[in-house]
Amino acid sequence: MFDFVVIGGGIVGLSTAMALLERHPGARLVVLEKEEGLARHQTGHNSGVIHSGIYYKPGSFKARFCKEGARALVEFCRERGIEYEICGKVIVATEQDELPLLENLHERGLQNGLEVEKIGPEELGEIEPHASGVAAIRVPSTGIVDFKRVAEAFAAIVQEQGGELRTGTEVESISETGHAVVVRTGKGAFRARTLVNCAGLHSDRVARLCRVETGTKIVPFRGEYYELKPEKRYLVKNLIYPVPNPNFPFLGVHFTRSVEGMVEAGPNAVLGLAREGYKKTDFDLTDFVEELTYPALWRLAKKNWRTGLGEIQRSLSKKAFVRGLQRLVPEVEEEDVIPISAGVRAQAIRSDGALVDDFLIAEGTNSVHVLNAPSPAATASIPIGQEIAARLSARFG
Ligand SMILES: Cc1cc2nc3c(=O)[nH]c(=O)nc-3n(C[C@H](O)[C@H](O)[C@H](O)COP(=O)(O)OP(=O)(O)OC[C@H]3O[C@@H](n4cnc5c(N)ncnc54)[C@H](O)[C@@H]3O)c2cc1C
């Protein structure tokens, strides 16, 4: 009998396992991951940005955990010798009518206790000589890291502390008997006192296996990227972002430099036809039918069809994608970028068609479920894990 079973070997599941073993040294803990390796989904396919927390509603989990998480992550990387860099970023207004939004964002950054600075075109030119804009915000605390490496370091600590990692072990059913849960997989059953669901793109399904009514469903949004050809990397020094759409802060392609020195452009956001569909042509009948029969998604689509069409256009046409990039860096040409692998965001949508904005964590009888952990959850993974460990400790001792 285990004390804790954690479902999902992504950065959130591994951080949670690490936090549980820190609170309960010697506890019996197992992490179950369906893939043959760790961090194969969102954790291994993202922009690698240590977010500062400027965008998020003051007082939200996102605002709190992002700021705390960025600090904790940097400390962790420093201690463990994981490469990272606090290179800062600029958020650029390219048109006059974006100035009020930029002003609001600056205000929000101050409310969130961040060091943010409004700058004009001249200072922007000093920071990013090839970017163009009418004004910008400089966020010095933003950084870059490889989250897969961070997740692997969390996994090493879990093992050092006596936790077990079982890859290639997909959870198929769950039953609860009094004070225990029984998790059945293709590789046998695991009994535990408590369960933590960090299954990312499948977290709603795992919650349903526990008969936890979530009122939400995960909808996959594929994010496609291009890479600047090595001879064009000089166009971007660090991170260049557009002013976000307040309704869809994850929209708007941007430029990010990776710790390996690549410069990536993207991601866009198109509805995925498969929860793990990394290629445009990937299709999964179960996922597709579930999307098609979810009225909330139709409500969302009806309200935002124009935005959705723009994203589809940017997905189908390289020219349209590059036009988005040229708003920030006018010198980028179509032949300067090559497509690279995409990522898929697990975004929870409520039954009324609203996107769940904040991180969402729900509790079942003997379980805790992470139902919405989109960006910046990789940055915030350490405090998210600590929060879950604290909730479990308060309930189960
Ligand atoms: C395109 C993109 C860009 C992003 N950019 C950033 C960024 O720059 N900065 C940032 O902070 N965040 C970013 N994010 C968000 C960040 O990557 C995620 O918030 C984070 O990785 C979520 O981690 P997770 O552990 O919850 O999910 P995942 O990494 O998806 O892990 C979930 C795991 O659960 C496993 N699983 C699922 N079902 C089962 C089952 N039945 N049995 C066993 N195992 C199961 C999966 O195989 C998977 O490994 C981005 C995300 C995307 C997609």
Side-chain angles (χ1 to χ4, degrees):
M1 169 97 145
F2 287 93
D3 295 303
F4 305 106
V5 58
V6 178
I7 302 173
I11 200 164
V12 174
L14 293 165
S15 164
T16 302
M18 185 173 72
L20 284 166
L21 288 169
E22 197 182 355
R23 267 185 180 260
H24 305 279
R28 287 208 63 202
L29 177 147
V30 62
V31 178
L32 305 178
E33 167 54 53
K34 70 182 170 67
E35 304 297 343
E36 292 301 331
L38 300 170
R40 296 266 172 104
H41 290 290
Q42 295 175 93
T43 302
H45 294 92
N46 57 48
S47 301
V49 176
I50 305 175
H51 286 294
S52 60
I54 183 171
Y55 302 119
Y56 316 115
K57 207 163 150 187
S60 63
F61 280 131
K62 275 190 179 174
R64 219 179 86 207
F65 290 167
C66 185
K67 194 173 166 207
E68 271 175 46
R71 193 185 35 75
L73 184 63
V74 164
E75 202 178 301
F76 181 85
C77 290
R78 207 178 288 143
E79 276 170 12
R80 292 260 153 183
I82 298 170
E83 195 181 350
Y84 75 96
E85 206 184 313
I86 300 301
C87 52
K89 82 169 175 184
V90 284
I91 303 170
V92 181
T94 54
E95 321 241 346
Q96 291 290 336
D97 62 7
E98 287 178 332
L99 291 178
L101 288 173
L102 195 76
E103 185 59 46
N104 290 346
L105 199 59
H106 180 253
E107 194 53 41
R108 183 163 273 194
L110 295 176
Q111 284 169 2
N112 285 332
L114 299 171
E115 185 199 326
V116 285
E117 188 194 352
K118 280 191 282 187
I119 56 175
E122 225 166 82
E123 282 161 292
L124 173 64
E126 281 161 25
I127 300 168
E128 289 288 351
H130 301 276
S132 149
V134 291
I137 299 175
R138 190 172 79 90
V139 190
S141 54
T142 305
I144 49 175
V145 73
D146 180 346
F147 286 115
K148 191 163 185 281
R149 285 196 208 148
V150 175
E152 283 162 356
F154 289 171
I157 294 176
V158 169
Q159 284 182 308
E160 277 159 31
Q161 298 303 317
E164 292 180 38
L165 303 176
R166 301 281 184 99
T167 52
T169 308
E170 179 162 3
V171 173
E172 291 165 354
S173 71
I174 299 169
S175 53
E176 298 197 36
T177 53
H179 296 299
V181 284
V182 181
V183 178
R184 289 185 186 79
T185 74
K187 293 195 177 157
F190 296 80
R191 260 172 75 80
R193 287 169 65 217
T194 51
L195 175 149
V196 188
N197 163 13
C198 303
L201 285 151
H202 300 281
S203 54
D204 55 339
R205 290 176 177 162
V206 170
R208 278 206 301 278
L209 292 179
C210 280
R211 278 162 286 283
V212 169
E213 197 29 73
T214 65
T216 60
K217 199 184 267 295
I218 290 290
V219 173
F221 284 96
R222 208 177 60 253
E224 294 155 333
Y225 290 90
Y226 285 83
E227 182 199 350
L228 274 185
K229 286 183 177 165
E231 62 272 24
K232 292 288 172 173
R233 286 179 186 162
Y234 71 90
L235 291 174
V236 175
K237 284 192 150 174
N238 292 304
L239 314 177
I240 309 177
Y241 277 64
V243 177
N245 172 338
N247 298 324
F248 298 100
F250 58 79
L251 292 188
V253 288
H254 47 254
F255 291 94
T256 51
R257 180 165 61 77
S258 71
V259 275
E260 286 86 24
M262 287 165 61
V263 176
E264 297 176 353
N268 59 357
V270 279
L271 183 66
L273 304 181
R275 292 199 184 193
E276 293 170 3
Y278 294 95
K279 292 201 277 311
K280 280 194 209 341
T281 49
D282 281 345
F283 177 80
D284 180 288
L285 188 62
T286 310
D287 294 349
F288 182 62
V289 169
E290 219 179 298
E291 284 173 24
L292 220 56
T293 54
Y294 188 39
L297 187 58
W298 289 100
R299 282 189 200 113
L300 180 77
K302 198 171 153 199
K303 248 170 88 186
N304 302 290
W305 62 272
R306 228 182 262 278
T307 313
L309 278 184
E311 290 300 305
I312 292 171
Q313 194 195 10
R314 264 184 289 281
S315 170
L316 297 176
S317 151
K318 186 178 181 190
K319 193 191 273 272
F321 196 104
V322 171
R323 255 202 314 271
L325 299 176
Q326 284 168 336
R327 284 167 58 90
L328 295 169
V329 178
E331 285 167 67
V332 175
E333 300 289 349
E334 238 182 287
E335 57 275 17
D336 296 342
V337 295
I338 38 178
I340 53 169
S341 69
V344 184
R345 305 172 182 84
Q347 173 63 54
I349 298 194
R350 281 188 216 289
S351 45
D352 62 1
L355 297 181
V356 178
D357 185 37
D358 209 356
F359 299 143
L360 179 64
I361 302 172
E363 295 179 29
T365 316
N366 298 307
S367 56
V368 172
H369 303 262
V370 180
L371 298 172
N372 195 51
S375 187
T379 303
S381 54
I382 294 177
I384 293 177
Q386 288 167 343
E387 166 76 17
I388 296 167
R391 286 195 194 192
L392 279 175
S393 303
R395 289 181 52 189
F396 306 113

